[in-house]
Amino acid sequence: MVRAGVVPGRRIAGYAAAGVFLVAVVCAGTIGVFGLNRVFTGLFFGVAAAVGLLILLFGRDGVELTEAAIVRRTPWGTSTVAWDRVVAARFALDEHGRWTLALDLTDGDEPHRELVLLSIPPVHRPVAGAYDQRKREQVTEIRTMLRQRRIPVTILPEIAEALQEHWKIAPPTR
């Protein structure tokens, strides 16, 4: 199983709003019960509760590539995409200048849909920390899974060069 997925900006904003709301509710409840002198205590417990909520929400949100299917999870539901719906994969630039690894899917009436697996900043140096190492591992694991499924991968030449030079990931072979 490979864990991937990108949380969309709207959902991030919703999670942040839920966290701020939880801080306000816990703080107001603490002040209501114990008095105005417990503002900082209410803030402390509110922030702690909000951090727990955000860990729960972000931990539940993602995509899992399994041998049987692709499982998309959100905090409120789960959906499954069969591997036979995957037409191709592509590693390209998105509208924000980040590198995006996405799957192109077919769906009965809908001609094409996209499922974004990774969105990483461009690589300009060797692995420098835990974030780079984790993203390198994810790219390698996803490529291995796609290769086993014989799914064609399109990759921009500048991305392939940078991955090979800095992260020592060989370009895909046909």
Side-chain angles (χ1 to χ4, degrees):
M1 178 182 72
V2 179
R3 186 152 165 77
V6 176
V7 181
R10 278 191 182 178
R11 220 173 309 154
I12 290 172
Y15 295 169
V20 169
F21 179 74
L22 187 59
V23 168
V25 167
V26 170
C27 186
T30 303
I31 291 170
V33 172
F34 297 107
L36 195 56
N37 291 335
R38 294 294 173 193
V39 171
F40 291 110
T41 304
L43 285 174
F44 174 76
F45 285 115
V47 168
V51 167
L53 175 67
L54 292 175
I55 288 172
L56 179 72
L57 291 173
F58 279 105
R60 176 83 172 126
D61 206 321
V63 176
E64 292 175 356
L65 306 174
T66 66
E67 292 297 323
I70 301 164
V71 180
R72 293 186 295 187
R73 297 184 192 281
T74 60
W76 47 86
T78 301
S79 65
T80 303
V81 177
W83 278 107
D84 59 358
R85 288 189 42 210
V86 178
V87 177
R90 58 189 152 70
F91 213 151
L93 291 171
D94 68 5
E95 62 273 4
H96 304 293
R98 295 174 61 87
W99 293 356
T100 304
L101 179 56
L103 299 177
D104 290 328
L105 307 173
T106 60
D107 198 21
D109 300 332
E110 229 176 292
H112 288 292
R113 276 185 42 193
E114 170 182 89
L115 179 60
V116 177
L117 299 178
L118 285 177
S119 180
I120 60 175
V123 174
H124 299 293
R125 63 181 196 276
V127 173
Y131 177 81
D132 288 349
Q133 181 64 29
R134 178 62 190 134
K135 292 305 172 185
R136 182 185 183 282
E137 289 172 3
Q138 280 184 311
V139 169
T140 304
E141 291 169 349
I142 291 169
R143 282 193 49 212
T144 301
M145 181 80 70
L146 295 174
R147 186 177 297 137
Q148 289 172 352
R149 295 276 171 193
R150 299 191 188 281
I151 296 171
V153 178
T154 304
I155 185 168
L156 289 177
E158 58 267 19
I159 294 175
E161 284 177 25
L163 288 176
Q164 184 174 11
E165 180 182 344
H166 301 298
W167 283 4
K168 308 300 183 218
I169 296 176
T173 57
R174 297 248 180 224

